[in-house]
Amino acid sequence: MKMFRQIGAVTAMNFRSLPQRVSTSLVVVIGIAGVVAVLVSVLAMSTGLIRTMQNTGRDDRAIIMRNGAIAETSSALDRNSAKLIVDGEGIKRDADGNPITSAETMRILSLHKKQDDAEINVILRGVGPKMLEVRPELKIIEGRMFQPAVTEVIVGKAAHAQFKGLNVGDVVNSRGANWTVVGVFETGGDAHESSLMTYAETLISIDQRGSFQSVTALLDSPSAFQAFKDSLSANPGLAVDVVREREYYQQQSKTMSTIISVIAYVVGGIMAVGAVFAALNTMYSAVSARLQEIATLRALGFGSTAMVASVLAEALVLALIGGVIGALIAWLFFNGNTVSTSGGGMGQMVFELTVSPQLMILGIVWACIIGVLGGFFPAMRAARLPVAMALRAI
């Protein structure tokens, strides 16, 4: 009990003297706030990208690609394969008994961002006539659906907000054809809102290709996936890979989200080193300025543990304040902001930065670690100061 009373008394004395050291204390607070704000805001990109991809797809939909293809953009399925796929076991059928599938193809369109006019690549996806049955979440929110055999496109809500020339009535110029925007769609905030869509046969004809790149199939239920996959694997006329749609899009975001996370931790780590040295300098100065106090307390019988705990507590509180400020700055200025970046096989991906509570807590934990590291050695100095030497400083 005596030790805890000593720790409480010395810590309270340190905090009462903080107003006299406000300038040096602010160095620690501001430095750590900057570290946390940068770390959290960059990680918010990874979180937003992952959340968008996780919202894409359903467990009762499957994507079929050429065997060995890692993405739709590197896949190719001839028409005979597309016909064999629709006979797979477990595919849901409409009222007329027709399988609900969409044979699809893709190509790249060059567009410009509204913010800085940068040229970027956006996916134009060709879809089948049963696309609305395959993807019932797709809703036209402005204009109308494209017509087959006509160079018309509908634009995802996210792409419409981020890129130039995608208003209803605008014409997107590209090789082979000029595409008229006739509608804007939403799909519940998933990855497809970053793309444009048209009729697959129209796109294949313009590109003078004879094949599709993937087939998306709606299944009877999520549990029908394995039977569907097995039936296609057993067909000697097919050489395809079958994946759940949700798993496919999560895999597509994995590489990019990993790169973003590595960048965040590298940049945050470099800044954290600077913040640690700032904290060391501040706490060393604080200990040096309080040699008389330390001498008096040691002479009165206060132990070294109380000295260590008081210095660490001060550093931790300053770090905690900086961490909270940094997390709040990241949340206020970055949460919900729309950005775009490469989405692997999905081309340019538009998504919202997501400063989640978990990220804010992570940033505050980083701040506390920086505070402990910055206060540890000054605390040890205060604890090891001989009483006689401290008294000579009076």
Side-chain angles (χ1 to χ4, degrees), residues 3 7 17 144 171 189 215 245 263 276 300 308 318 322 372 389:
M3 181 182 68
I7 292 174
S17 66
R144 60 173 175 83
V171 176
V215 174
E245 187 183 39
I263 292 173
V276 167
L300 292 174
V308 172
L318 292 176
V372 170
M389 184 183 298

Side-chain angles (χ1 to χ4, degrees), residues 70-86:
I70 60 174
E72 291 176 280
T73 50
S74 61
S75 174
L77 291 174
D78 58 40
R79 291 182 179 273
N80 183 58
S81 296
K83 290 178 181 178
L84 292 175
I85 287 169
V86 301

Side-chain angles (χ1 to χ4, degrees), residues 10 19 58 71 151 153 171 176 209 224 226 274 288 300 318 329 331 339:
V10 178
R58 291 170 30 166
T151 54
V153 295
V171 176
R209 292 186 296 181
Q226 192 59 49
S288 298
L300 292 174
L318 292 176
I329 289 173
W331 182 77
V339 298

